[in-house]
Protein backbone atom coordinates (compact mmCIF):
# COMPACT_ATOMS: atom_id res chain seq x y z
CA UNK A 1 0.00 0.00 0.00
CA UNK A 2 1.33 3.45 -0.89
CA UNK A 3 1.22 5.87 1.99
CA UNK A 4 -0.02 9.36 1.04
CA UNK A 5 1.81 12.43 2.14
CA UNK A 6 -0.28 14.73 4.30
CA UNK A 7 0.58 18.09 5.60
CA UNK A 8 0.51 18.78 9.30
CA UNK A 9 -0.80 22.06 10.62
CA UNK A 10 1.77 23.16 13.16
CA UNK A 11 0.44 26.62 13.99
CA UNK A 12 -2.72 28.62 13.85
CA UNK A 13 -3.72 32.10 14.82
CA UNK A 14 -7.19 33.64 14.71
CA UNK A 15 -7.01 37.31 13.76
CA UNK A 16 -10.74 37.98 13.84
CA UNK A 17 -14.07 36.17 13.69
CA UNK A 18 -13.45 35.34 10.06
CA UNK A 19 -9.71 35.51 9.43
CA UNK A 20 -7.17 32.92 10.53
CA UNK A 21 -3.67 31.76 9.64
CA UNK A 22 -2.46 28.19 9.25
CA UNK A 23 1.20 27.22 9.42
CA UNK A 24 1.70 24.01 7.45
CA UNK A 25 4.72 21.74 7.60
CA UNK A 26 5.95 21.13 4.06
CA UNK A 27 9.73 21.51 3.69
CA UNK A 28 9.74 21.06 -0.10
CA UNK A 29 7.04 23.68 -0.61
CA UNK A 30 8.85 26.08 1.72
CA UNK A 31 12.05 25.55 -0.28
CA UNK A 32 10.38 26.13 -3.64
CA UNK A 33 8.04 29.01 -2.71
CA UNK A 34 8.56 32.54 -3.93
CA UNK A 35 6.64 35.76 -3.26
CA UNK A 36 3.40 35.99 -5.23
CA UNK A 37 2.81 32.26 -5.60
CA UNK A 38 -0.12 30.25 -4.35
CA UNK A 39 -1.13 26.70 -3.49
CA UNK A 40 -4.27 24.68 -4.12
CA UNK A 41 -5.54 23.07 -0.95
CA UNK A 42 -7.93 20.23 -0.16
CA UNK A 43 -8.59 20.02 3.53
CA UNK A 44 -10.10 16.52 3.30
CA UNK A 45 -10.58 13.81 0.69
CA UNK A 46 -14.04 14.97 -0.40
CA UNK A 47 -13.22 18.65 -0.01
CA UNK A 48 -13.22 21.37 -2.65
CA UNK A 49 -9.88 22.44 -4.11
CA UNK A 50 -9.32 26.08 -3.23
CA UNK A 51 -6.45 28.40 -4.16
CA UNK A 52 -4.71 30.21 -1.30
CA UNK A 53 -1.71 32.53 -1.49
CA UNK A 54 1.52 31.55 0.22
CA UNK A 55 1.52 34.41 2.71
CA UNK A 56 4.82 33.41 4.28
CA UNK A 57 7.40 30.66 4.03
CA UNK A 58 10.21 29.64 6.31
CA UNK A 59 12.80 27.52 4.55
CA UNK A 60 14.63 26.82 7.82
CA UNK A 61 11.51 25.57 9.65
CA UNK A 62 10.14 23.91 6.49
CA UNK A 63 6.76 25.63 6.77
CA UNK A 64 4.42 27.72 4.68
CA UNK A 65 1.79 30.06 6.13
CA UNK A 66 -1.67 30.55 4.65
CA UNK A 67 -4.04 33.30 5.77
CA UNK A 68 -7.67 32.49 5.12
CA UNK A 69 -10.87 34.50 5.22
CA UNK A 70 -14.00 32.44 5.89
CA UNK A 71 -16.23 33.64 3.06
CA UNK A 72 -18.08 30.44 2.12
CA UNK A 73 -18.51 26.74 2.62
CA UNK A 74 -14.94 25.48 2.34
CA UNK A 75 -13.17 28.32 4.10
CA UNK A 76 -15.76 28.17 6.90
CA UNK A 77 -15.38 24.41 7.19
CA UNK A 78 -11.58 24.77 7.35
CA UNK A 79 -12.00 27.40 10.06
CA UNK A 80 -13.60 24.69 12.17
CA UNK A 81 -11.57 21.65 11.25
CA UNK A 82 -8.03 22.90 10.62
CA UNK A 83 -6.54 22.83 14.08
CA UNK A 84 -2.95 22.40 15.18
CA UNK A 85 -2.04 18.72 14.86
CA UNK A 86 -4.56 18.01 12.10
CA UNK A 87 -3.45 17.51 8.51
CA UNK A 88 -4.44 18.93 5.16
CA UNK A 89 -5.35 16.20 2.70
CA UNK A 90 -3.63 17.81 -0.28
CA UNK A 91 -1.46 20.81 -1.00
CA UNK A 92 -0.36 21.46 -4.58
CA UNK A 93 2.13 24.13 -5.56
CA UNK A 94 3.83 26.47 -5.60
CA UNK A 95 1.66 27.68 -8.47
CA UNK A 96 1.63 30.84 -10.55
CA UNK A 97 4.51 33.03 -11.60
CA UNK A 98 6.63 34.45 -8.79
CA UNK A 99 6.39 38.23 -8.37
CA UNK A 100 9.11 40.14 -10.18
CA UNK A 101 11.09 41.78 -7.41
CA UNK A 102 13.55 43.38 -9.88
CA UNK A 103 15.78 46.33 -9.09
CA UNK A 104 13.27 48.91 -7.89
CA UNK A 105 14.86 51.35 -5.44
CA UNK A 106 11.71 52.67 -3.81
CA UNK A 107 8.45 50.73 -3.63
CA UNK A 108 5.07 50.91 -1.93
CA UNK A 109 3.62 47.56 -0.83
CA UNK A 110 -0.07 48.05 -0.08
CA UNK A 111 -2.52 45.49 1.29
CA UNK A 112 -6.17 45.88 2.19
CA UNK A 113 -7.80 43.57 4.75
CA UNK A 114 -6.90 39.99 3.85
CA UNK A 115 -4.64 41.38 1.08
CA UNK A 116 -2.18 42.38 3.79
CA UNK A 117 -1.05 38.75 4.04
CA UNK A 118 -0.17 38.06 0.37
CA UNK A 119 1.67 41.37 0.01
CA UNK A 120 3.99 40.49 2.92
CA UNK A 121 6.42 38.18 1.04
CA UNK A 122 6.76 40.85 -1.65
CA UNK A 123 7.57 43.57 0.92
CA UNK A 124 10.18 41.28 2.44
CA UNK A 125 11.54 40.37 -1.01
CA UNK A 126 11.94 44.04 -1.96
CA UNK A 127 13.66 44.78 1.34
CA UNK A 128 16.07 41.88 0.81
CA UNK A 129 16.86 43.22 -2.66
CA UNK A 130 17.89 46.56 -1.12
CA UNK A 131 14.82 48.68 -1.93
CA UNK A 132 13.36 51.38 0.31
CA UNK A 133 10.00 49.84 1.23
CA UNK A 134 6.92 51.82 2.25
CA UNK A 135 4.20 49.56 3.64
CA UNK A 136 0.57 50.69 3.47
CA UNK A 137 -1.87 48.47 5.37
CA UNK A 138 -5.60 49.08 5.42
CA UNK A 139 -8.19 47.63 7.78
CA UNK A 140 -11.75 48.51 8.66
CA UNK A 141 -10.90 49.06 12.28
CA UNK A 142 -8.05 48.85 14.82
CA UNK A 143 -9.20 45.51 16.23
CA UNK A 144 -8.77 43.86 12.80
CA UNK A 145 -5.11 44.79 12.39
CA UNK A 146 -2.73 41.87 11.96
CA UNK A 147 0.93 41.39 10.97
CA UNK A 148 1.86 45.05 11.52
CA UNK A 149 4.88 43.71 13.48
CA UNK A 150 6.02 41.61 10.52
CA UNK A 151 5.71 44.62 8.21
CA UNK A 152 7.52 46.91 10.68
CA UNK A 153 10.45 44.50 10.52
CA UNK A 154 10.80 44.72 6.74
CA UNK A 155 9.50 48.20 5.88
CA UNK A 156 11.37 51.48 6.12
CA UNK A 157 8.05 53.24 6.67
CA UNK A 158 4.65 51.89 7.61
CA UNK A 159 1.37 53.70 7.01
CA UNK A 160 -1.65 52.14 8.70
CA UNK A 161 -5.09 53.19 7.45
CA UNK A 162 -8.42 52.38 9.06
CA UNK A 163 -11.82 53.08 7.59
CA UNK A 164 -13.07 54.37 10.96
CA UNK A 165 -9.90 56.21 12.02
CA UNK A 166 -9.41 54.02 15.13
CA UNK A 167 -5.72 53.55 14.23
CA UNK A 168 -3.31 55.30 11.88
CA UNK A 169 -4.83 57.61 9.30
CA UNK A 170 -8.58 57.63 8.73
CA UNK A 171 -9.01 56.50 5.20
CA UNK A 172 -8.55 53.75 2.68
CA UNK A 173 -5.44 52.05 1.35
CA UNK A 174 -5.61 54.35 -1.67
CA UNK A 175 -5.37 57.34 0.73
CA UNK A 176 -2.25 55.77 2.26
CA UNK A 177 -0.72 55.43 -1.22
CA UNK A 178 -1.66 59.06 -1.94
CA UNK A 179 0.17 60.11 1.21
CA UNK A 180 3.28 58.12 0.24
CA UNK A 181 3.28 59.75 -3.22
CA UNK A 182 2.94 63.23 -1.66
CA UNK A 183 5.88 62.58 0.66
CA UNK A 184 8.24 60.83 -1.75
CA UNK A 185 9.66 61.42 -5.17
CA UNK A 186 11.03 58.56 -7.22
CA UNK A 187 8.61 55.77 -6.29
CA UNK A 188 9.43 53.09 -8.87
CA UNK A 189 6.58 50.71 -8.20
CA UNK A 190 3.42 50.14 -6.19
CA UNK A 191 2.16 46.65 -5.39
CA UNK A 192 -1.50 46.61 -4.30
CA UNK A 193 -3.36 43.50 -3.13
CA UNK A 194 -6.89 43.25 -1.78
CA UNK A 195 -10.51 43.17 -2.94
CA UNK A 196 -10.97 44.14 -6.62
CA UNK A 197 -12.49 47.53 -5.78
CA UNK A 198 -9.57 48.37 -3.53
CA UNK A 199 -7.05 47.44 -6.20
CA UNK A 200 -8.96 49.49 -8.75
CA UNK A 201 -8.89 52.53 -6.43
CA UNK A 202 -5.12 52.10 -5.95
CA UNK A 203 -4.58 51.85 -9.69
CA UNK A 204 -6.56 55.06 -10.25
CA UNK A 205 -4.45 56.76 -7.57
CA UNK A 206 -1.15 55.92 -9.28
CA UNK A 207 -2.30 56.33 -12.90
CA UNK A 208 -1.95 60.15 -13.04
CA UNK A 209 1.60 59.79 -11.68
CA UNK A 210 2.47 57.02 -14.18
CA UNK A 211 3.81 54.82 -11.39
CA UNK A 212 4.02 51.14 -12.34
CA UNK A 213 1.34 49.35 -10.30
CA UNK A 214 1.15 45.60 -9.88
CA UNK A 215 -2.01 43.91 -8.61
CA UNK A 216 -2.63 40.26 -7.73
CA UNK A 217 -5.83 38.89 -9.28
CA UNK A 218 -7.95 36.17 -7.74
CA UNK A 219 -10.51 35.02 -10.33
CA UNK A 220 -12.26 31.71 -9.76
CA UNK A 221 -9.78 28.92 -10.45
CA UNK A 222 -10.47 25.28 -11.15
CA UNK A 223 -7.42 23.29 -12.29
CA UNK A 224 -4.79 26.00 -11.74
CA UNK A 225 -2.76 24.73 -14.70
CA UNK A 226 -3.98 26.83 -17.63
CA UNK A 227 -6.24 24.07 -19.03
CA UNK A 228 -9.80 24.94 -18.04
CA UNK A 229 -9.94 28.65 -18.85
CA UNK A 230 -11.88 29.37 -15.66
CA UNK A 231 -9.48 32.05 -14.44
CA UNK A 232 -9.39 34.16 -17.60
CA UNK A 233 -8.87 37.86 -16.99
CA UNK A 234 -8.90 40.78 -19.42
CA UNK A 235 -6.02 43.22 -19.78
CA UNK A 236 -7.04 45.71 -22.43
CA UNK A 237 -7.61 43.61 -25.55
CA UNK A 238 -5.61 40.69 -24.22
CA UNK A 239 -6.95 37.65 -22.40
CA UNK A 240 -4.71 35.99 -19.82
CA UNK A 241 -5.08 33.07 -17.42
CA UNK A 242 -4.32 34.18 -13.89
CA UNK A 243 -3.11 30.75 -12.79
CA UNK A 244 -0.27 30.51 -15.29
CA UNK A 245 0.23 34.08 -16.56
CA UNK A 246 -0.25 35.67 -13.11
CA UNK A 247 -1.60 36.14 -10.53
CA UNK A 248 0.41 39.42 -10.72
CA UNK A 249 -0.55 41.80 -13.54
CA UNK A 250 -0.10 45.40 -14.61
CA UNK A 251 -2.95 47.05 -12.73
CA UNK A 252 -3.26 49.90 -15.23
CA UNK A 253 -4.38 47.41 -17.88
CA UNK A 254 -6.75 45.22 -15.83
CA UNK A 255 -10.47 45.23 -16.65
CA UNK A 256 -11.78 45.20 -13.06
CA UNK A 257 -15.45 45.32 -14.11
CA UNK A 258 -15.01 42.05 -16.02
CA UNK A 259 -13.15 40.48 -13.07
CA UNK A 260 -15.95 41.37 -10.64
CA UNK A 261 -18.66 40.10 -12.97
CA UNK A 262 -16.87 36.78 -13.42
CA UNK A 263 -16.29 36.43 -9.67
CA UNK A 264 -20.02 36.82 -9.01
CA UNK A 265 -21.05 34.19 -11.57
CA UNK A 266 -21.67 31.37 -9.08
CA UNK A 267 -23.06 33.36 -6.16
CA UNK A 268 -26.33 31.38 -6.03
CA UNK A 269 -24.56 27.99 -6.13
CA UNK A 270 -22.09 29.16 -3.46
CA UNK A 271 -24.95 30.23 -1.18
CA UNK A 272 -26.65 26.88 -1.65
CA UNK A 273 -23.44 24.95 -0.93
CA UNK A 274 -22.95 26.93 2.28
CA UNK A 275 -26.57 26.46 3.27
CA UNK A 276 -26.39 22.69 2.66
CA UNK A 277 -23.19 22.42 4.64
CA UNK A 278 -24.52 24.51 7.53
CA UNK A 279 -27.69 22.39 7.64
CA UNK A 280 -25.69 19.17 7.93
CA UNK A 281 -22.75 20.49 9.94
CA UNK A 282 -22.65 18.82 13.30
CA UNK A 283 -19.84 20.96 14.73
CA UNK A 284 -21.97 23.49 16.54
CA UNK A 285 -19.72 23.68 19.59
CA UNK A 286 -17.31 26.57 20.06
CA UNK A 287 -14.16 26.22 18.03
CA UNK A 288 -11.31 24.82 20.12
CA UNK A 289 -8.27 26.00 18.29
CA UNK A 290 -4.83 24.60 18.84
CA UNK A 291 -3.51 28.03 17.93
CA UNK A 292 -1.88 30.70 20.02
CA UNK A 293 -4.91 32.87 20.14
CA UNK A 294 -7.47 30.47 21.53
CA UNK A 295 -8.94 32.94 23.98
CA UNK A 296 -9.73 35.33 21.16
CA UNK A 297 -11.35 32.63 19.06
CA UNK A 298 -15.05 33.39 18.85
CA UNK A 299 -17.63 30.68 19.34
CA UNK A 300 -18.95 29.11 16.17
CA UNK A 301 -22.02 31.14 15.17
CA UNK A 302 -25.34 29.39 14.87
CA UNK A 303 -26.14 27.99 11.43
CA UNK A 304 -28.65 30.76 10.80
CA UNK A 305 -25.85 33.30 10.87
CA UNK A 306 -23.65 31.43 8.47
CA UNK A 307 -24.83 33.27 5.41
CA UNK A 308 -23.85 36.59 6.94
CA UNK A 309 -20.23 36.24 5.96
CA UNK A 310 -17.97 38.96 4.63
CA UNK A 311 -18.57 39.90 1.03
CA UNK A 312 -15.24 39.43 -0.74
CA UNK A 313 -16.17 42.19 -3.20
CA UNK A 314 -17.20 44.94 -0.86
CA UNK A 315 -15.40 48.13 -1.66
CA UNK A 316 -14.28 48.93 1.86
CA UNK A 317 -10.67 48.71 2.87
CA UNK A 318 -9.42 50.97 0.16
CA UNK A 319 -12.18 51.42 -2.37
C1 LIG B 1 -4.65 32.96 -6.75
C2 LIG B 1 -5.65 33.05 -5.62
C3 LIG B 1 -5.19 33.24 -4.34
C4 LIG B 1 -6.08 33.32 -3.28
N1 LIG B 1 -5.59 33.50 -2.03
C5 LIG B 1 -6.41 33.53 -0.99
C6 LIG B 1 -5.89 33.64 0.33
O1 LIG B 1 -4.67 33.72 0.55
N2 LIG B 1 -6.78 33.64 1.36
C7 LIG B 1 -8.13 33.53 1.15
O2 LIG B 1 -8.87 33.52 2.13
N3 LIG B 1 -8.64 33.43 -0.07
C8 LIG B 1 -7.82 33.42 -1.15
N4 LIG B 1 -8.34 33.26 -2.41
C9 LIG B 1 -9.79 33.14 -2.56
C10 LIG B 1 -10.24 31.75 -2.14
O3 LIG B 1 -9.75 30.79 -3.05
C11 LIG B 1 -11.78 31.70 -2.09
O4 LIG B 1 -12.19 32.58 -1.08
C12 LIG B 1 -12.26 30.31 -1.76
O5 LIG B 1 -12.10 29.47 -2.88
C13 LIG B 1 -13.74 30.40 -1.38
O6 LIG B 1 -14.26 29.09 -1.20
P1 LIG B 1 -15.52 28.87 -0.25
O7 LIG B 1 -16.08 27.54 -0.56
O8 LIG B 1 -15.18 29.14 1.15
O9 LIG B 1 -16.51 30.02 -0.66
P2 LIG B 1 -17.53 30.08 -1.87
O10 LIG B 1 -18.86 30.44 -1.32
O11 LIG B 1 -17.39 28.91 -2.78
O12 LIG B 1 -16.97 31.34 -2.64
C14 LIG B 1 -16.91 32.64 -2.08
C15 LIG B 1 -16.23 33.53 -3.11
O13 LIG B 1 -14.86 33.10 -3.25
C16 LIG B 1 -14.50 33.05 -4.63
N5 LIG B 1 -14.19 31.66 -5.03
C17 LIG B 1 -14.96 30.56 -4.90
N6 LIG B 1 -14.35 29.47 -5.39
C18 LIG B 1 -13.17 29.89 -5.87
C19 LIG B 1 -12.09 29.25 -6.51
N7 LIG B 1 -12.09 27.95 -6.79
N8 LIG B 1 -11.04 30.01 -6.89
C20 LIG B 1 -10.99 31.32 -6.59
N9 LIG B 1 -11.98 31.98 -5.99
C21 LIG B 1 -13.05 31.29 -5.63
C22 LIG B 1 -15.68 33.53 -5.40
O14 LIG B 1 -15.47 34.87 -5.72
C23 LIG B 1 -16.84 33.38 -4.50
O15 LIG B 1 -17.84 34.30 -4.73
C24 LIG B 1 -7.48 33.20 -3.50
C25 LIG B 1 -7.95 33.00 -4.81
C26 LIG B 1 -7.05 32.94 -5.85
C27 LIG B 1 -7.54 32.72 -7.24
S1 LIG C 1 -7.69 27.72 -13.31
FE1 LIG C 1 -8.00 26.68 -15.16
S2 LIG C 1 -6.98 27.89 -16.59
FE2 LIG C 1 -6.52 28.85 -14.72
Amino acid sequence: MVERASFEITGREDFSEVTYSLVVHHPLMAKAANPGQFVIVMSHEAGERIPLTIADFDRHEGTVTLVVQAVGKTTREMQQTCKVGTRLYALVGPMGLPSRIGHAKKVVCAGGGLGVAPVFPQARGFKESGAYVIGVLGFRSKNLIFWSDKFSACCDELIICTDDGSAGIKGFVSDGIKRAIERHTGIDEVVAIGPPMMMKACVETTRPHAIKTIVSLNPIMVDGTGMCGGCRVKLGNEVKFACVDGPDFDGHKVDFADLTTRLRRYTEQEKLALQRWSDTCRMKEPLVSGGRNVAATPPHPPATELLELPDPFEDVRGG
Side-chain angles (χ1 to χ4, degrees):
M1 198 175 80
V2 181
E3 201 178 312
R4 291 189 67 259
S6 60
F7 311 103
E8 187 180 355
I9 296 169
T10 56
R12 169 172 169 149
E13 194 168 352
D14 289 86
F15 299 128
S16 73
E17 273 185 34
V18 290
T19 310
Y20 54 99
S21 69
L22 302 174
V23 180
V24 186
H25 186 249
H26 194 326
L28 276 179
M29 188 78 73
K31 200 172 165 191
N34 281 297
Q37 293 188 294
F38 64 95
V39 289
I40 291 191
V41 173
M42 278 172 84
S43 64
H44 59 85
E45 194 172 359
E48 187 189 9
R49 304 161 79 247
I50 63 162
L52 296 171
T53 305
I54 301 171
D56 198 1
F57 49 88
D58 186 326
R59 301 198 207 284
H60 180 68
E61 295 288 327
T63 57
V64 293
T65 302
L66 311 173
V67 177
V68 191
Q69 191 169 44
V71 293
K73 186 234 163 203
T74 300
T75 46
R76 188 80 204 180
E77 184 181 40
M78 285 175 65
Q79 189 184 25
Q80 290 192 33
T81 57
C82 293
K83 302 170 188 172
V84 171
T86 64
R87 289 168 185 273
L88 296 174
Y89 176 76
L91 194 65
V92 180
M95 308 187 90
L97 299 177
S99 305
R100 278 188 211 95
I101 298 298
H103 302 291
K105 290 198 168 52
K106 197 183 275 185
V107 295
V108 174
C109 290
L114 186 77
V116 163
V119 90
F120 170 73
Q122 301 204 38
R124 184 175 57 190
F126 277 117
K127 188 66 203 162
E128 285 169 358
S129 79
Y132 185 91
V133 182
I134 304 158
V136 176
L137 311 183
F139 300 91
R140 259 186 242 156
S141 185
K142 185 179 177 179
N143 61 326
L144 299 175
I145 294 176
F146 67 91
W147 281 16
S148 56
D149 50 341
K150 283 168 82 90
F151 278 87
S152 295
C154 70
C155 292
D156 296 279
E157 277 178 50
L158 188 59
I159 301 171
I160 302 271
C161 317
T162 48
D163 295 5
D164 63 3
S166 51
I169 62 170
K170 184 174 188 311
F172 299 132
V173 177
S174 46
D175 297 313
I177 294 175
K178 219 177 276 168
R179 179 170 288 201
I181 293 172
E182 281 162 10
R183 283 184 181 169
H184 290 271
T185 53
I187 293 175
D188 297 304
E189 185 172 335
V190 171
V191 179
I193 307 184
M197 291 305 287
M198 179 220 109
M199 292 192 285
K200 184 167 186 337
C202 296
V203 160
E204 295 315 327
T205 304
T206 59
R207 199 188 298 278
H209 304 276
I211 299 172
K212 176 181 172 189
T213 303
I214 299 296
V215 295
S216 177
L217 302 186
N218 58 347
I220 290 184
M221 289 187 181
V222 184
D223 62 334
T225 63
M227 301 290 284
C228 71
C231 67
R232 53 190 288 157
V233 289
K234 277 197 201 159
L235 283 88
N237 293 327
E238 275 187 295
V239 169
K240 298 276 185 190
F241 293 158
C243 66
V244 287
D245 300 321
D248 286 0
F249 291 102
D250 176 348
H252 291 146
K253 293 187 179 162
V254 171
D255 183 338
F256 284 100
D258 179 71
L259 175 70
T260 307
T261 306
R262 289 179 68 83
L263 276 166
R264 288 187 189 280
R265 243 179 349 169
Y266 302 106
T267 304
E268 284 314 308
Q269 289 90 332
E270 287 154 359
K271 274 189 182 166
L272 275 174
L274 179 60
Q275 186 65 63
R276 267 200 303 270
W277 173 74
S278 65
D279 288 347
T280 53
C281 174
R282 282 179 289 152
M283 298 182 67
K284 309 287 189 212
E285 75 280 16
L287 183 66
V288 182
S289 165
R292 281 177 278 155
N293 218 12
V294 179
T297 304
H300 171 47
T304 49
E305 287 174 25
L306 279 173
L307 291 177
E308 290 163 29
L309 292 170
D311 179 348
F313 312 109
E314 65 186 337
D315 57 352
V316 292
R317 293 166 272 153

